[in-house]
Amino acid sequence: MKYIFYPGCSMERNARAYLDSLMAIREPLGIELEEIDDWNCCGATEFMSVSPLAGHALIGRNLALAEQQTNGTHTVMAGCSACYLNLAKTDHYMLESPQLSETINTALAAGGLHYTPGALKVRHLLDVLMHDVGLEAIQRNVVRPLQGLRVAPYYGCMILRPDFDHRFNYPEYPAQLDQILGVLGAEVIDFPMKLDCCGGHMTQISKPVALELIRRLIHAAAEYKADMLVTLCPMCQLNLDAYQAEMNHYFHTDYHIAITYFTQLIGLAFGKEAKELGFGKEFVDARPALSRIGVQVPVTEPVATPKPKRSKQALPMPSLTRDKGETRR
Amino acid sequence: MALSSADTDLESLPRLPEPPVADLSFLDKVVAATPGVPRLEMCIQCGTCGGSCPSAADMEHTPRQIFAMIRAGMSDEVLRSNTPWFCVACYYCMVRCPQEVHIPDVMYTLKSLAIRAGLYENAAGPHLSQTFSGYVEKYGRSFEFGLATRHYLRHHPISMRGMAPLGLGMLTKDRLTFTPVRIKGLKGLKAILARARELEEAAR
């Protein structure tokens, strides 16, 4: 099965583990990916906040480039939920409003491009794995079942909402990711927060709001005794993983829930090496969880926090020793 | 004794105040500036949006209130509200709205109008959007290192030191890079965006 692939800026760098693990599993799953040539950023949620029409034109350029590449396939696939929604939205709104379609194409013409609304089908990686590849094909490739690993499946927002093409029949209670993790042999919990928002870019706008959104997700996963929270979006992974320490500090909690991509777990079950799947790039160490299923991850350099040196002439100061086990809520 | 109608002097009776004239120009303006078919005029004020919103508690006005204020022509109050900036674009409101109003898109429009009018109380949101978009326009790709350092220096300089482990971790784990990635068709992209802005300007 061939797809036109839109990786997006995150997958290229901060969510490299997502891209690497996808590349590692595409062959056993029979997926062929052809990257959009010279694609640009989709604008995330920020470009439209400055100029909605230019935001659609920015996305339109990617659609126009992809349309030129429709060689045997009309499906554009993205792994990042925000990229997926942006591409799907511009296509859908252009189809809905001929006037908008004309305006965007007038803008695209300035760069010698054109997009015919509806020419492409925009789909998310989860949708492709579930509905094109299928659970059976995934199960066939499992050589190392993830027996004993307790996982919380987390969908986030933009893959299920607004879901213009109705790819998911129960948008308020989806099961696709649960089912995939299930056939890998993992113990899947019925995660009540699986659709709640991770906060997106809120970490940069209001810390208290953002950290609370992160806290309730991590807290729910811990309550359900999950070893790991499994995501399918770079933004969700970044927020829950990289900001977990700051969230702990802010709320005086002590959670350590590893945040991984579903493609990494698929790769593990397929017998791939942890390093090839990008393990080790996460902030909250996934090794304790992975050791439960007998997977060893090579140790990466620990991050050193620069500590100011004490001057020899400084006066002696009393210091408090922090009780490590102390948590306050 | 009943008054005969012939005796009543209508002019001398106390006058009722004139009913206010509905000014829908701000509603029209918001709808026109929102690409696609936002259906904002269809809002029935049910409040499902605010009830579904994860950050409604921190908003000065719930989405429902904002839509009522738009209809009432309260443009200044609407554009000064923190509501659109606290929208996390989770789309819960949009899928649950019985009238299928494109709520997150309306929020994007309100943000862009607030930036244009310079009407916002807290500059963190507007500056984040502008810095992010600036890098995208300059390179064709987002540039997280530039965005993070610039945004933190501008808005959270005190907490910069506390963020050091995060930034350092991002760099050592190779999840962040000092150098931006440039696309080949930058000239074409700039021309497209410039034309889009001209068209947006002309439609206002």
Side-chain angles (χ1 to χ4, degrees):
Chain A
M1 281 163 287
K2 195 171 155 188
Y3 300 94
I4 305 169
F5 181 46
Y6 181 82
C9 306
S10 290
M11 259 182 145
E12 291 246 298
R13 185 56 63 171
N14 92 53
R16 189 77 205 186
Y18 194 11
L19 186 66
D20 288 349
S21 51
L22 170 62
M23 289 305 155
I25 61 167
R26 82 199 141 135
E27 211 188 285
L29 293 177
I31 300 174
E32 204 184 312
L33 300 175
E34 192 185 305
E35 192 171 320
I36 300 178
D37 189 35
D38 205 37
W39 55 270
N40 56 264
C41 172
C42 76
T45 52
E46 301 308 331
F47 212 96
M48 275 191 201
S49 309
V50 180
S51 166
L53 192 65
H56 280 289
L58 182 78
I59 301 160
R61 180 178 177 272
N62 291 319
L63 292 170
L65 292 174
E67 193 186 353
Q68 294 173 353
Q69 258 174 268
T70 51
N71 181 19
T73 176
H74 291 273
T75 305
V76 176
M77 194 268 280
C80 169
S81 299
C83 300
Y84 154 73
L85 175 59
N86 273 344
L87 293 167
K89 181 151 108 176
T90 298
D91 177 48
H92 186 80
Y93 285 5
M94 282 174 85
L95 210 54
E96 207 174 61
S97 159
Q99 190 205 336
L100 177 67
S101 169
E102 201 189 305
T103 316
I104 291 177
N105 273 317
T106 311
L108 289 177
L113 292 169
H114 177 88
Y115 176 65
T116 322
L120 300 166
K121 281 262 166 285
V122 183
R123 294 170 66 189
H124 189 276
L125 173 63
L126 175 68
D127 171 18
V128 164
L129 287 193
M130 191 65 194
H131 302 119
D132 291 5
V133 175
L135 284 177
E136 270 177 39
I138 296 173
Q139 195 162 21
R140 262 203 309 277
N141 283 289
V142 175
V143 294
R144 176 167 57 196
L146 309 179
Q147 228 91 49
L149 191 68
R150 220 171 134 78
V151 294
Y154 176 61
Y155 297 77
C157 305
M158 295 177 166
I159 178 170
L160 291 141
R161 297 184 297 269
D163 190 18
F164 293 116
D165 283 340
H166 306 289
R167 305 295 310 171
F168 299 91
N169 34 9
Y170 299 106
E172 298 261 357
Y173 191 67
Q176 280 84 354
L177 181 58
D178 302 52
Q179 285 169 307
I180 289 180
L181 295 174
V183 299
L184 302 179
E187 194 183 332
V188 186
I189 61 172
D190 190 6
F191 191 44
M193 306 289 281
K194 60 179 162 189
L195 296 181
D196 283 53
C197 181
C198 74
H201 283 178
M202 193 51 72
T203 48
Q204 310 304 313
I205 297 169
S206 170
K207 274 281 159 69
V209 179
L211 294 178
E212 169 57 19
L213 290 171
I214 294 167
R215 188 201 65 81
R216 46 189 211 146
L217 291 170
I218 300 289
H219 172 73
E223 288 279 287
Y224 277 73
K225 303 211 174 349
D227 297 319
M228 206 177 256
L229 194 145
V230 185
T231 64
L232 34 71
C233 167
M235 190 82 247
C236 304
Q237 202 281 342
L238 182 73
N239 275 342
L240 298 178
D241 182 30
Y243 287 93
Q244 200 172 125
E246 201 186 346
M247 181 274 290
N248 274 329
H249 180 74
Y250 188 83
F251 290 106
H252 306 285
T253 51
D254 193 23
Y255 296 118
H256 298 278
I257 303 279
I259 316 292
T260 54
Y261 294 106
F262 77 126
T263 43
Q264 288 181 296
L265 291 193
I266 295 175
L268 274 186
F270 286 6
K272 304 279 179 196
E273 288 302 316
K275 189 139 196 256
E276 187 191 352
L277 300 168
F279 281 106
K281 284 187 184 294
E282 66 280 349
F283 279 77
V284 181
D285 205 344
R287 278 175 296 162
L290 292 180
S291 66
R292 296 174 68 104
I293 50 166
V295 174
Q296 298 302 322
V297 186
V299 187
T300 44
E301 283 292 298
V303 181
T305 321
K307 204 180 167 189
K309 259 200 182 142
R310 255 180 73 86
S311 159
K312 277 181 184 155
Q313 281 142 14
L315 289 169
M317 291 290 278
S319 62
L320 287 169
T321 48
R322 195 191 272 171
D323 184 5
K324 259 201 155 177
E326 186 190 14
T327 54
R328 181 152 47 96
R329 270 253 355 104
Chain B
M1 195 181 83
L3 282 172
S4 75
S5 60
D7 293 336
T8 317
D9 180 7
L10 285 174
E11 291 301 310
S12 69
L13 286 174
R15 305 279 302 207
L16 286 169
E18 286 292 319
V21 181
D23 176 14
L24 296 177
S25 62
F26 187 53
L27 173 69
D28 292 341
K29 186 180 171 183
V30 173
V31 170
T34 310
V37 190
R39 300 169 57 89
L40 179 58
E41 67 284 357
M42 306 291 282
C43 171
I44 54 166
Q45 291 285 299
C46 69
T48 305
C49 41
S52 306
C53 179
S55 46
D58 299 288
M59 289 175 170
E60 283 160 4
H61 309 92
T62 63
R64 180 192 63 76
Q65 285 174 316
I66 283 285
F67 301 151
M69 286 156 71
I70 292 174
R71 236 182 254 173
M74 299 161 72
S75 60
D76 225 56
E77 291 87 339
V78 169
L79 297 184
R80 276 184 202 284
S81 173
N82 73 0
T83 300
W85 300 103
F86 274 46
C87 166
V88 285
C90 74
Y91 290 80
Y92 255 127
C93 53
M94 183 158 156
V95 292
R96 289 178 178 172
C97 175
Q99 295 292 81
E100 297 175 32
V101 177
H102 293 178
I103 300 171
D105 293 295
V106 173
M107 294 297 171
Y108 285 137
T109 302
L110 294 180
K111 288 195 235 184
S112 73
L113 293 176
I115 289 176
R116 272 175 63 88
L119 293 177
Y120 41 80
E121 305 289 327
N122 180 352
H127 286 166
L128 177 74
S129 296
Q130 285 168 305
T131 313
F132 185 99
S133 308
Y135 281 124
V136 171
E137 187 146 3
K138 195 168 173 193
Y139 303 120
R141 297 279 180 88
S142 82
F143 179 39
E144 290 175 355
F145 182 78
L147 176 67
T149 45
R150 208 161 148 181
H151 190 68
Y152 266 92
L153 278 174
R154 205 165 174 188
H155 290 284
H156 319 282
I158 314 258
S159 66
M160 218 31 195
R161 195 174 164 273
M163 294 310 288
L166 180 89
L168 216 60
M170 291 292 282
L171 287 167
T172 54
K173 287 172 195 297
D174 196 25
R175 289 178 68 166
L176 202 63
T177 167
F178 291 115
T179 45
V181 179
R182 265 190 190 79
I183 63 164
K184 285 177 275 167
L186 213 46
K187 217 175 129 195
L189 175 69
K190 282 186 178 160
I192 291 169
L193 295 177
R195 177 80 64 86
R197 277 203 199 92
E198 277 169 31
L199 292 165
E200 197 163 48
E201 218 50 49
R204 279 176 203 276

